[in-house]
Amino acid sequence: MNEVIGETADGGGQADAARRKRVRRSVVWGGVAGAAGVVPVAIKATEFWPWWLNLMFCLVLGGAGAFAGAVTGHREGRKTEVRRDSLAAGEREMGRYRVKIVPEGAEPPAPFKADDYTSYSLTTTTRRLQLWEFGYVPQWSHPWRDLRLTLDGHVVVITGPQGLLGRFVLGRNGEAEGLVLAANRLRARAPGHSAVPESRAH
């Protein structure tokens, strides 16, 4: 009995260590990306300055970029781990879609630009579809066999066993069609799915 408890505790410790390692990796790569993004700009902006002033300016700006990138990397790494913890054994995340929720009866907005703000995202996995807020606050999660995705213009309409789950506008042209197509294929492969034909809403 004690051996079993020890093995379980050791497995949990290994999982925690792996989680911390992945978050640290996100921090490092975020810092590298942050520095790499600002240093070329700093160099170009200081072409006519003395070399020592160029160096100081680049170091300061590069350090600031690396710090900001590391903070972002840490935040995104923690969010990724929260989503990873929601997965069952053998389940894997496939894709994430930034979305805006369209209230029922409201006029849908146009697909939004990359820099438009939204706090919601849909995550597809091999077994289910999940709605998250801020990337780490779960809103709902349903297996593919219980879902039906249709298109109403460029709006993705998602219904479940209890009715409407939401109407969503995705960020890029073509993403909505791709999501519905992927959902149809995953639902067809899901055990115990109901063979309800998909249609385009009008």
Side-chain angles (χ1 to χ4, degrees):
M1 181 68 176
N2 290 337
E3 290 180 1
V4 173
I5 294 175
E7 289 175 3
T8 303
D10 182 62
Q14 290 179 353
D16 288 342
R19 184 179 294 109
R20 288 192 295 270
K21 184 176 180 179
R22 289 192 295 266
V23 172
R24 285 197 299 269
R25 190 181 300 127
S26 296
V27 171
V28 171
W29 283 110
V32 170
V38 298
V39 168
V41 176
I43 293 174
K44 186 176 178 68
T46 59
E47 288 178 347
F48 304 104
W49 294 4
W51 70 268
W52 58 269
L53 190 56
N54 288 355
L55 179 61
M56 288 180 60
F57 183 73
C58 290
L59 286 175
V60 170
L61 200 58
F67 177 77
V71 170
T72 300
H74 182 266
R75 182 173 62 246
E76 293 304 314
R78 294 292 295 272
K79 290 180 181 180
T80 299
E81 291 306 312
V82 171
R83 293 193 301 273
R84 186 191 298 270
D85 289 342
S86 74
L87 302 178
E91 184 179 12
R92 61 185 177 83
E93 184 176 307
M94 298 177 62
R96 292 181 61 211
Y97 302 84
R98 296 173 66 243
V99 298
K100 287 184 178 179
I101 297 177
V102 182
E104 195 170 4
E107 188 71 21
F112 52 94
K113 300 182 179 66
D115 56 351
D116 285 352
Y117 175 75
T118 178
S119 61
Y120 292 97
S121 62
L122 288 169
T123 297
T124 58
T125 80
T126 49
R127 299 184 185 179
R128 70 186 103 178
L129 181 66
Q130 303 168 313
L131 177 65
W132 297 86
E133 188 172 11
F134 306 117
Y136 65 96
V137 181
Q139 301 299 302
W140 50 252
S141 176
H142 294 280
W144 290 113
R145 67 175 181 272
D146 294 338
L147 296 176
R148 184 168 182 257
L149 278 70
T150 57
L151 284 174
D152 182 6
H154 64 280
V155 177
V156 177
V157 181
I158 304 177
T159 54
Q162 307 303 321
L164 182 67
L165 289 171
R167 302 171 71 236
F168 303 92
V169 170
L170 281 70
R172 292 194 294 268
N173 290 324
E175 276 191 334
E177 291 83 356
L179 175 58
V180 172
L181 181 61
N184 291 343
R185 290 175 176 172
L186 288 164
R187 193 180 68 161
R189 291 200 293 260
H193 80 282
S194 58
V196 179
E198 298 298 331
S199 63
R200 178 181 288 266
H202 296 288

